[in-house]
């Protein structure tokens, strides 16, 4: 019997409960045990794991590496999937290898390029991948100049932090004055230019924003699996247009994703997003980690998390072709259990074994599930 595989996910997204489920239901019928750590005791990933711990707060990146190495040694971790402090962790790959742990993460060079979106746009455009027009903005005057330049070209301007993930901080600029119309319905991403300018002029520190045209749908998110030899093993696009989701193998999306994944050392799982600028697909963002929606590839008969773990263990699965493309679907929310709400002092929060039954757990509405349309 082949030995079990011990996998650790640190401070990851709630949707990765599905990542964990796919590892356990792997087509190799290999025993998998999952360790999870998080700073939030109510994270569903803690309840879904076989063993779980609360992470210490206030660690520097270097201190976190020492904490992570200790976790790997104590827990016998075979494969570590880092999200928090990924760039610092991958710089210590050799230390983790000495501890017997493979990092399921890109090269240090790959993570460095894509930590800053402006740096990323410069880098990918140099290898022929189309990017939208963009401006790096730090002050109110720079913002106004960028917005005016985009509007002169007939575009609607938007901005987002040059560093960050998950759409945090994304806003669309409007010149419409604030009125009751903006208080109807649910809050949206639109913000008045004059309010943003006033906020910037009152701020004590400059911002680091990327200002660009608002790009059009469809949004295509290409999930990539790349080996440490820089060769792509899997690429499938997930399309998004309004509520509707689907899949694509169209080379308009896959070809530029392949250039990025193979050319910048994005080993193992990455997610490369595109939108339309006029009639041309352009790069939107690059995530050097597994996407929260990666599990949706199961609708195409693909278990990408397990294939990535195999690669990390040196068991090359070869090029993976989806046996079929799943039908269009919608994403809905559903309950996932969390651990019992018992206050746990940090010094006593060493181990929290995941309970087998969620009898005393309260559901949280954070898990994205796919339903066909």
């Amino acid at each position: 019997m082949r030995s079990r595989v011990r996998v650790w996910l640190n401070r990851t997204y709630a949707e990765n409960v599905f990542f964990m489920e796919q590892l356990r239901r792997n087509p190799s019928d290999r025993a998998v045990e999952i360790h999870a750590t998080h700073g939030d005791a109510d994270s569903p990933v803690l309840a879904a794991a076989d063993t779980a711990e609360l992470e210490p707060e206030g660690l520097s990146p270097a201190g976190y590496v020492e904490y992570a190495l200790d976790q790997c040694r104590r827990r016998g971790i075979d494969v570590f999937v880092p999200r928090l402090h990924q760039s610092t962790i991958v710089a210590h790959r050799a230390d983790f290898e000495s501890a017997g742990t493979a990092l399921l993460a890109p090269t240090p060079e790959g993570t460095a390029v894509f930590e800053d979106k402006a740096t990323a746009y410069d880098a990918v455009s140099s290898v022929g991948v189309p990017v939208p027009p963009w401006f790096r903005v730090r002050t109110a005057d720079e913002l106004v100049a960028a917005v005016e330049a985009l509007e002169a070209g007939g575009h609607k301007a938007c901005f987002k932090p040059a560093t960050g993930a998950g759409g945090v901080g994304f806003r669309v600029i409007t010149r419409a004055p604030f009125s009751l119309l903006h208080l109807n319905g649910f809050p949206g991403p639109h913000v008045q230019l004059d309010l943003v300018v006033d906020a910037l002029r009152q701020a004590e520190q400059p911002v680091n924003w990327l200002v660009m045209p608002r790009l059009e749908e469809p949004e295509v998110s290409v999930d990539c699996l790349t080996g440490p030899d820089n060769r792509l093993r899997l690429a499938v696009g997930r399309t998004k247009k309004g509520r509707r989701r689907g899949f694509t193998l169209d080379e308009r999306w896959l070809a530029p994703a392949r250039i990025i994944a193979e050319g910048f050392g994005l080993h193992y799982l990455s997610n490369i997003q595109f939108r339309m600028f006029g009639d041309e697909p352009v790069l939107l963002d690059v995530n050097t980690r597994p996407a929260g929606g990666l599990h949706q590839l199961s609708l195409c008969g693909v278990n990408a998390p397990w294939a990535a773990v195999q690669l990390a263990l040196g068991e090359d699965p070869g090029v993976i072709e989806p046996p079929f493309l799943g039908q269009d679907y919608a994403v809905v929310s559903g309950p996932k259990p969390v651990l019992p709400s018992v206050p746990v002092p940090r010094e006593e929060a060493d181990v929290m074994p995941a309970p087998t039954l969620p009898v005393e757990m309260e559901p949280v509405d954070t898990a994205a599930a796919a339903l066909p349309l």
Side-chain angles (χ1 to χ4, degrees), residues 131-211:
V131 301
W134 57 274
F135 303 83
R136 190 195 288 274
V137 161
R138 300 189 185 276
T139 66
D141 290 341
E142 290 177 351
L143 173 68
V144 172
V147 171
E148 289 179 345
L150 290 171
E151 290 179 343
H155 307 299
K156 184 179 288 293
C158 63
F159 66 87
K160 58 185 176 182
T163 60
V168 174
F170 171 78
R171 297 293 186 273
V172 180
I173 292 290
T174 179
R175 291 182 181 267
F178 186 79
S179 70
L180 286 177
L181 289 175
H182 296 97
L183 300 178
N184 289 332
F186 294 101
H190 290 82
V191 62
Q192 284 69 32
L193 177 61
D194 57 337
L195 296 180
V196 181
V197 169
D198 288 345
L200 285 176
R201 288 185 172 145
Q202 294 174 27
E204 297 180 358
Q205 299 292 332
V207 295
N208 183 16
W209 289 348
L210 206 66
V211 178

Side-chain angles (χ1 to χ4, degrees), residues 30 40 67 85 126 144 155 168 185 210 219 248 302 320 336:
R30 187 91 170 263
D40 180 3
Y67 162 78
H85 295 310
S126 72
V144 172
H155 307 299
V168 174
L210 206 66
E219 181 176 313
T248 180
V302 172
I320 301 171
K336 279 288 176 180

Side-chain angles (χ1 to χ4, degrees), residues 190-318:
H190 290 82
V191 62
Q192 284 69 32
L193 177 61
D194 57 337
L195 296 180
V196 181
V197 169
D198 288 345
L200 285 176
R201 288 185 172 145
Q202 294 174 27
E204 297 180 358
Q205 299 292 332
V207 295
N208 183 16
W209 289 348
L210 206 66
V211 178
M212 54 193 288
R214 184 171 189 182
L215 303 175
E216 300 302 322
E217 292 184 322
E219 181 176 313
V220 178
S221 184
V222 182
D223 293 309
C224 296
L225 175 62
T226 310
D229 57 0
N230 290 324
R231 289 193 301 107
L232 201 69
R233 302 303 197 276
L234 170 70
V236 180
R238 290 182 285 114
T239 64
K240 174 183 177 182
K241 190 170 184 179
R243 184 183 294 273
R244 182 174 291 271
R245 307 288 192 271
F247 302 100
T248 180
L249 297 177
D250 191 327
E251 282 296 312
R252 288 195 308 161
W253 315 102
L254 269 55
R258 185 179 297 110
I259 291 171
I260 294 170
E262 294 185 339
F264 290 95
L266 299 189
H267 299 171
Y268 306 107
L269 291 168
S270 61
N271 176 257
I272 303 170
Q273 301 168 3
F274 302 89
R275 274 194 173 226
M276 299 299 293
F277 180 62
D279 296 328
E280 181 181 41
V282 295
L283 180 69
L284 177 62
D285 205 356
V286 175
N287 296 309
T288 61
R289 53 166 177 78
L294 180 68
H295 63 281
Q296 292 161 17
L297 295 190
S298 64
L299 298 177
C300 299
V302 172
N303 188 326
W306 178 245
V309 166
Q310 285 183 294
L311 263 180
L313 293 173
E315 304 167 4
D316 197 333

